[in-house]
Amino acid sequence: MKKYEKYEEEVRSLTLKEKVKLLTGASAWSTGRIAEDLEPVKMCDGPHGLRKVTSGRKKELDISSTTDVAVCFPTASLTACSFDEELLYLLGDTIGKEALAKKIDLILGPGTNIKRSPLGGRNFEYFSEDPILSGKLSAAFIKGVQNNGVGTSLKHFCCNNQETKRFVYSAQINERALRDIYLKPFEIAIEESNPSTIMCSYNKVNGVQVSQNKYLLTNILRDEFKFKGLVVSDWGAVDSRASACASGLDLEMPGMKRPFSYFAKALKNGEFKEEDIEKSNDRLLKLIYDSNKKKDRKLETNYDKDHLLSSKIAAESMVLLKNDNNILPLNKKDNVLVIGNFAEKPRYQGNGSSRINPYHIDSFLDILAKDKINYQYVRPYDSKTHEINMVQKTKCLAYAEDYKKIIIFAALPGKFESEGYDRRNLNFSDLQTNFINEIAQINNNIVVVLQTGSPVILPFVNNVKGLLLSYLGGEATCLAAKDIIFGKVNPSGRLAETWPTCLENTPAFSSFRNDAENVYYDEDIYVGYRFYQTANIPSLFPFGHGLSYSTFVYSNYKVDKNDTEIIVNFTIKNTSKYDGKIVSLIFANKSKSETYRCGPELKAFNKIFLKGNEEKEVSIKFPIKYLNIYDEVLGKYIIEDGTYEIMLMENAEKEICKESINIEGVAVSQKNMTQLVRKEVQKYPFSMNSTFSDISRTLIGKIILKISLKVVNKMSDTDEMQMIKNSINDQPIRSAASFGLISYNRASAIVDIANKHYFKGLRKLIFNH
Ligand code: BGC
């Protein structure tokens, strides 16, 4: 490799056309080539394992395209519950090594968006409702991946909190909530881990497409958060490329092939400058140069080893929600009745771009057999077809009387949650609920293993003794569940989100996923547990809840500070005979404040291992600046002067102990919430940003939508196709061009015709220019 400065000179001497070409990907999964002897950066999804597309060029953007086999690790919804930065580092490191062996230079993940509502279709890909937890775990994952010289893409910046109309909706949000909740995880992850790229989201924020939002991409991301890497668009997130370039977006993926005349015209009109293009070219060069540095490409992956790691990560993260009369752990000598086909074919991952072609999916039954545990298995219903097998059901009811312990595998069927669309409600399957309740009447020594990407309401919860939440636990989820159920692993996961009692009680209930394009974040900073504690609404299970087979006792709690940090010291004793891990949660509260606030907010956490009866001193530090809030009147972050309670909490609802500390800060200027102004969305004239459903009011729109729906409806009923079917109406016209279905000119011709500029449109259609 030549010296970096030499490449810089080469890039500067490119023609304008060549420079412009570098603004978009060369293929769906690769950057352009910037110099003869520098290999382009090859990328793939994602956060839970590698999704390396192997189909040919034509099908590479097809969601059902073939992908290489890789280990499917647990989803972020589960790994977040580990509250364990070392574990997330290990996960990142392992995926980074798999990437090296597969000649992948950059992984499109992690996803760090805040879970605004449990209905979010993509919540399984995100960590938490809490910004500090999300930011810290993202940073740990990024450090793990990048330790191998492989890049990451922290996504989706920002406010991608719903899937409905994800390409076009506008998150209408005030600055305080934007900064203190939604931007915070990005800020923390950037500061701690320096991700090589950041992926901007599809949506708009306060009316401006994020890919074209200078305030977010330049003023905040680069000037304030000091992000030094490259900003890449989400796949098809760019509307106006010129405006995106001027706003700080470096690389458009997968790359709509706009004609050069488009750029020449926009440059002439002053929509952007050659200087903007050069800045983006420089950042691309830096990414490509770093990626070409010597890497251990000869690494061999050992998928069997990684599969076991996947199980370890799942087991360290699963949450024991309920354990009445200590029904768990079971004894290996117990004869158990296992019910439900999710024991054989678990639900272990979510649908969409993070979907992995798994290496080996464990079956709970095979694992029991391997461990020589006696069991009886019944499959009284098929959870996919909803058909009840009467013979199996009768057998099952009879066995329920004979067997001492019953394990039921229950899951939210995959088609209910996916990238591309949101859930309609929080309901769990009636079929499975009724069945659990029926069995419970005969024998309530039941342990339910629950597989879901996000919270569901659990009408059976009082009728079972044990409830183990595995979320979507990756391909080895059943091995992990077995290790917890039979006591090989002592559960230590804690909920990274609140489980509500009903949908009406959730923070964004009135404004989430409504059909409007302006989505008002009226709940402000009251997201997740911040809402439940402030509104005094009981939850089914609070943020931070999770049981262990051990009991722990805290003592010697002490809070100190130095110039930059708050230091919390305490002693923990494992007062049981079981070895186990314990998560400690530190919250801060300002009960006397001059501005609106939430109650106690998470500021730090850690996890340690204690042998049975062992005692350890623990010290947890966090930066004083974590006490800051954004003051909209002053236009900056401030720390409010006065007393703060620093609390050790069992979960967001239960305090263990606290101590007050005085912090020298400043007076707040903002007293009240800034109310969101209601705005009309202009639908006409149509633009490339108009959706298929928008233009379906016109003749050409009707025809196009009809043809598209016909094609889509003919597709097979797989989970992937379900995603396309459920989101087609919400796709903007431009996305058809981004994903290579039609040319840029044809897409723009459709818009012209919908706007009744028939001649202009037809000319574009016929001559394709
Ligand atoms: C998703 C991204 C993903 C990209 C590439 C998009 O639809 O939103 O998260 O990385 O596709 O697959």
Side-chain angles (χ1 to χ4, degrees):
M1 249 160 64
K2 291 182 277 241
K3 276 197 167 162
Y4 188 70
E5 294 73 30
K6 195 86 196 94
Y7 291 111
E8 275 185 315
E9 281 167 29
E10 278 179 32
V11 173
R12 278 298 148 84
S13 64
L14 295 175
T15 63
L16 181 63
K17 206 167 181 176
E18 288 166 331
K19 285 179 186 167
V20 157
K21 206 170 160 204
L22 290 172
L23 295 178
T24 46
S27 76
W29 307 107
S30 163
T31 66
R33 180 178 285 280
I34 208 158
E36 268 306 301
D37 58 339
L38 291 182
E39 283 306 309
V41 168
K42 291 183 202 64
M43 50 194 102
C44 80
D45 284 299
H48 314 135
L50 297 186
R51 183 176 167 271
K52 185 178 175 190
V53 175
T54 46
S55 317
R57 237 347 231 291
K58 261 202 153 155
K59 283 200 82 184
E60 61 179 2
L61 271 168
D62 191 334
I63 194 75
S64 62
S65 53
T66 33
T67 56
D68 255 5
V69 166
V71 172
C72 176
F73 292 93
T75 56
S77 55
L78 180 63
T79 55
C81 300
S82 70
F83 280 74
D84 187 342
E85 290 167 86
E86 277 174 30
L87 200 70
L88 266 293
Y89 181 94
L90 187 61
L91 171 63
D93 183 40
T94 310
I95 295 180
K97 291 199 163 58
E98 286 195 11
L100 278 181
K102 288 275 171 196
K103 311 231 173 333
I104 290 291
D105 309 298
L106 191 139
I107 286 164
L108 303 171
T112 202
N113 295 84
I114 291 292
K115 301 185 193 203
R116 178 173 175 242
S117 160
L119 294 179
R122 229 173 156 175
N123 278 10
F124 66 87
E125 272 189 74
Y126 298 143
F127 290 110
S128 176
E129 63 192 21
D130 182 80
I132 291 195
L133 182 62
S134 302
K136 292 245 164 213
L137 297 183
S138 299
F141 178 89
I142 292 167
K143 283 192 255 180
V145 175
Q146 294 193 169
N147 167 46
N148 297 287
V150 173
T152 54
S153 204
L154 180 64
K155 63 192 188 183
H156 306 91
F157 183 83
C158 63
C159 294
N160 177 199
N161 309 110
Q162 67 176 49
E163 291 299 284
T164 308
K165 300 198 170 162
R166 64 174 171 161
F167 286 88
V168 289
Y169 79 83
S170 175
Q172 299 292 119
I173 183 169
N174 69 33
E175 196 79 9
R176 170 95 171 259
L178 177 67
R179 302 275 193 153
D180 290 357
I181 305 289
Y182 296 95
L183 288 176
K184 193 61 90 192
F186 290 96
E187 187 184 0
I188 292 175
I190 291 166
E191 183 181 8
E192 292 197 2
S193 65
N194 194 15
S196 53
T197 78
I198 282 186
M199 189 189 291
C200 82
S201 57
Y202 283 128
N203 51 286
K204 300 176 186 136
V205 170
N206 291 328
V208 185
Q209 206 78 44
V210 176
S211 59
Q212 292 150 221
N213 199 316
K214 191 164 189 181
Y215 180 59
L216 288 171
L217 297 186
T218 299
N219 302 17
I220 295 187
L221 195 56
R222 295 201 184 279
D223 300 347
E224 285 187 42
F225 295 175
K226 309 279 176 247
F227 175 62
K228 297 275 180 299
L230 175 117
V231 178
V232 55
S233 76
D234 197 345
W235 270 228
V238 177
D239 180 18
S240 156
R241 186 63 186 98
S243 150
C245 191
S247 305
L249 181 109
D250 300 310
L251 179 66
E252 180 188 11
M253 292 300 287
M256 186 184 324
K257 302 288 172 269
R258 290 180 178 81
F260 179 65
S261 55
Y262 163 86
F263 293 95
K265 198 168 148 202
L267 274 171
K268 203 165 148 220
N269 293 344
E271 288 169 50
F272 74 139
K273 301 195 207 76
E274 193 164 339
E275 208 178 297
D276 299 321
I277 305 178
E278 284 173 351
K279 270 191 202 158
S280 289
N281 285 174
D282 287 349
R283 292 190 196 114
L284 183 69
L285 169 62
K286 172 87 175 51
L287 179 81
I288 294 181
Y289 182 84
D290 286 348
S291 168
N292 273 265
K293 282 182 189 159
K294 210 167 170 318
K295 286 190 269 210
D296 195 358
R297 288 280 187 196
K298 282 190 222 88
L299 267 183
E300 294 244 329
T301 44
N302 181 336
Y303 280 175
D304 288 321
K305 199 169 131 242
D306 291 358
H307 177 85
L308 289 179
L309 179 71
S310 177
S311 153
K312 174 186 152 70
I313 294 172
E316 303 260 318
S317 309
M318 286 183 185
V319 188
L320 183 59
L321 291 173
K322 199 175 167 192
N323 195 20
D324 289 358
N325 302 344
N326 292 331
I327 185 167
L328 289 177
L330 301 186
N331 191 310
K332 277 195 167 183
K333 292 192 187 102
D334 285 341
N335 270 352
V336 289
L337 175 63
V338 179
I339 302 176
N341 58 331
F342 292 110
E344 254 179 304
K345 291 186 180 148
R347 190 154 173 251
Y348 64 99
Q349 69 169 332
N351 195 25
S353 58
S354 66
R355 196 177 182 88
I356 290 149
N357 183 1
Y359 170 60
H360 172 76
I361 307 165
D362 284 327
S363 139
F364 191 69
L365 308 177
D366 292 347
I367 295 166
L368 292 188
K370 211 166 144 202
D371 269 20
K372 303 203 167 37
I373 297 171
N374 282 326
Y375 70 89
Q376 180 62 252
Y377 173 55
V378 265
R379 241 184 65 178
Y381 48 80
D382 183 314
S383 52
K384 241 190 170 165
T385 58
H386 277 223
E387 271 165 32
I388 296 184
N389 179 326
M390 282 320 284
V391 178
Q392 286 273 315
K393 185 172 171 183
T394 317
K395 265 191 189 170
C396 186
L397 298 178
Y399 287 141
E401 289 190 21
D402 301 342
Y403 280 80
K404 272 200 181 143
K405 306 280 164 62
I406 302 172
I407 306 173
I408 303 181
F409 278 78
L412 185 70
K415 64 173 188 235
F416 287 102
E417 46 187 353
S418 165
E419 179 178 337
Y421 58 96
D422 296 305
R423 279 196 293 164
R424 304 252 141 204
N425 53 50
L426 294 182
N427 297 349
F428 188 58
S429 137
D430 283 348
L431 175 78
Q432 296 178 62
T433 300
N434 294 341
F435 197 77
I436 296 172
N437 287 338
E438 206 172 334
I439 296 283
Q441 282 184 358
I442 303 169
N443 179 352
N444 72 347
N445 284 312
I446 298 174
V447 175
V448 170
V449 178
L450 185 61
Q451 302 163 347
T452 169
S454 41
V456 284
I457 45 174
L458 299 170
F460 58 79
V461 70
N462 294 328
N463 302 335
V464 301
K465 288 193 177 160
L467 181 57
L468 178 67
L469 174 63
S470 64
Y471 276 107
L472 303 179
E475 61 176 50
T477 187
C478 287
L479 177 56
K482 190 278 302 174
D483 283 347
I484 291 183
I485 291 171
F486 289 93
K488 186 172 172 200
V489 174
N490 188 347
S492 60
R494 301 294 192 92
L495 285 182
E497 64 185 317
T498 311
W499 275 53
T501 49
C502 61
L503 181 60
E504 291 72 18
N505 280 356
T506 58
F509 171 64
S510 53
S511 59
F512 184 80
R513 204 197 64 76
N514 54 26
D515 282 333
E517 260 169 44
N518 277 341
V519 178
Y520 293 94
Y521 283 44
D522 290 320
E523 72 286 358
D524 203 282
I525 54 173
Y526 300 103
V527 178
Y529 65 85
R530 289 165 167 81
F531 168 77
Y532 296 90
Q533 64 180 202
T534 313
N536 211 359
I537 289 178
S539 61
L540 182 60
F541 297 110
F543 173 91
H545 170 71
L547 305 173
S548 162
Y549 297 152
S550 305
T551 41
F552 298 93
V553 172
Y554 289 89
S555 58
N556 302 329
Y557 185 70
K558 182 109 197 53
V559 179
D560 268 316
K561 70 171 166 50
N562 58 30
D563 289 348
T564 54
E565 288 167 325
I566 298 201
I567 306 132
V568 184
N569 292 308
F570 52 88
T571 310
I572 317 182
K573 181 163 187 189
N574 180 350
T575 51
S576 71
K577 61 177 190 211
Y578 296 105
D579 300 350
K581 290 192 171 176
I582 171 86
V583 171
S584 300
L585 305 171
I586 305 296
F587 284 63
N589 185 34
K590 182 141 189 29
S591 40
K592 279 195 196 131
S593 171
E594 293 300 313
T595 184
Y596 71 102
R597 278 184 182 271
C598 315
E601 296 178 284
L602 183 77
K603 298 295 165 191
F605 55 91
N606 91 341
K607 191 171 195 175
I608 59 162
F609 172 77
L610 287 170
K611 284 191 149 318
N613 287 314
E614 193 187 1
E615 185 174 87
K616 268 186 193 163
E617 312 265 300
V618 177
S619 185
I620 305 182
K621 294 179 187 159
F622 68 89
I624 292 183
K625 71 173 180 200
Y626 279 11
L627 297 177
N628 71 13
I629 52 169
Y630 192 81
D631 187 311
E632 291 187 55
V633 176
L634 296 173
K636 61 176 183 184
Y637 292 100
I638 56 148
I639 298 179
E640 188 181 6
D641 201 48
T643 306
Y644 290 78
E645 291 110 48
I646 307 298
M647 316 160 87
L648 179 64
M649 310 265 288
E650 186 162 323
N651 56 53
E653 288 174 8
K654 196 164 165 209
E655 177 189 317
I656 301 171
C657 47
K658 68 177 172 206
E659 225 181 66
S660 293
I661 192 159
N662 274 328
I663 301 286
E664 236 177 84
V666 298
V668 281
S669 293
Q670 178 183 6
K671 309 279 173 200
N672 302 313
M673 274 182 191
T674 309
Q675 295 300 327
L676 300 169
V677 182
R678 263 46 194 176
K679 286 181 187 150
E680 281 271 312
V681 177
Q682 285 291 344
K683 290 265 178 182
Y684 194 81
F686 299 114
S687 69
M688 292 281 259
N689 231 11
S690 303
T691 61
F692 283 101
S693 130
D694 291 337
I695 63 156
S696 69
R697 283 183 280 147
T698 66
L699 181 64
I700 184 161
K702 271 195 193 86
I703 296 171
I704 290 174
L705 192 62
K706 212 167 167 192
I707 297 174
S708 316
L709 287 174
K710 221 171 173 182
V711 173
V712 165
N713 282 330
K714 272 199 197 137
M715 293 170 169
S716 53
D717 193 28
T718 59
D719 286 351
E720 289 87 353
M721 290 314 155
Q722 194 73 36
M723 170 174 160
I724 297 176
K725 285 179 192 173
N726 282 344
S727 56
I728 188 139
N729 280 303
D730 290 351
Q731 300 282 333
I733 314 289
R734 63 179 161 78
S735 71
S738 309
F739 290 101
L741 301 175
I742 49 175
S743 70
Y744 174 80
N745 278 329
R746 293 236 152 95
S748 122
I750 292 171
V751 176
D752 287 337
I753 296 173
N755 282 328
K756 302 191 182 135
H757 300 146
Y758 301 113
F759 188 62
K760 195 172 162 196
L762 283 174
R763 213 177 54 192
K764 280 189 194 162
L765 273 186
I766 294 164
F767 300 110
N768 197 21
H769 64 70

